[in-house]
Amino acid sequence: MLPVKAANKNPGNNPNCVGENVSPQLSWVNTPAGTKSFALLMVDPEGRGGAGVNHWVAYGIPADVTGFAEGEVSKEGPKYVGGKSTQGVGFYSGPCTPPNVQPHHYTFVLIATDLEAKELAPGLTKDEVTAKIVPAGAPSRAKGSAGIIGLFVKP
């Protein structure tokens, strides 16, 4: 379970946003050979009635970066290029689940790529980033991936 502080904060516009928007600590090891950068995506597949919500789109994470401290990606930072989430921001945007539902699954997917860290422009959506990593009719730029799921429901 993600802690309440990891939920987004926006009670004026959305009463389901009950937290402090503090990003969780994330770390990884065993970088695949040939990795030049990472992409990190956070998706809630149950959000928006099953249409899904892209809570964070980050890429251009240098291969020597092995994680982010708690709260580090709750704002723009120098260790990643911010994409465009469903909320329209390039940094972590925490859960805002409605009350009285089953916990939503917040899937964090880390993708090792052979893309240079500054190869992709800021502001790309999840679909645009994944199309650059796995281009149609061309070899995949992915070297490997890993994921973890955090659960959250409005307390």
Side-chain angles (χ1 to χ4, degrees):
M1 292 297 292
L2 291 168
V4 172
K5 68 183 175 182
N8 210 328
K9 61 177 178 183
N10 194 0
N13 293 329
N14 186 341
N16 296 326
C17 298
V18 296
E20 300 170 41
N21 205 52
V22 175
S23 60
Q25 182 271 334
L26 299 166
S27 62
W28 51 90
V29 295
N30 299 325
T31 299
T35 299
K36 294 181 181 175
S37 71
F38 295 100
L40 187 52
L41 310 170
M42 177 188 171
V43 178
D44 169 11
E46 294 98 359
R48 294 188 307 151
V53 175
N54 298 313
H55 281 267
W56 187 35
V57 179
Y59 44 91
I61 302 165
D64 62 352
V65 172
T66 58
F68 297 106
E70 181 180 77
E72 184 175 3
V73 297
S74 298
K75 58 190 178 307
E76 293 180 4
K79 289 170 40 177
Y80 69 93
V81 176
K84 184 177 180 185
S85 66
T86 301
Q87 298 82 355
V89 298
F91 48 87
Y92 173 85
S93 185
C96 291
T97 56
N100 305 315
V101 297
Q102 292 294 315
H104 285 206
H105 297 79
Y106 294 87
T107 305
F108 294 84
V109 178
L110 179 73
I111 306 165
T113 80
D114 66 3
L115 297 166
E116 296 294 336
K118 300 297 182 190
E119 189 168 331
L120 302 180
L124 299 178
T125 65
K126 174 188 173 284
D127 290 343
E128 291 168 333
V129 170
T130 56
K132 298 286 188 186
I133 296 170
V134 185
S140 173
R141 308 292 302 270
K143 305 308 265 176
S145 65
I148 188 169
I149 296 173
L151 300 173
F152 189 82
V153 67
K154 181 181 176 183

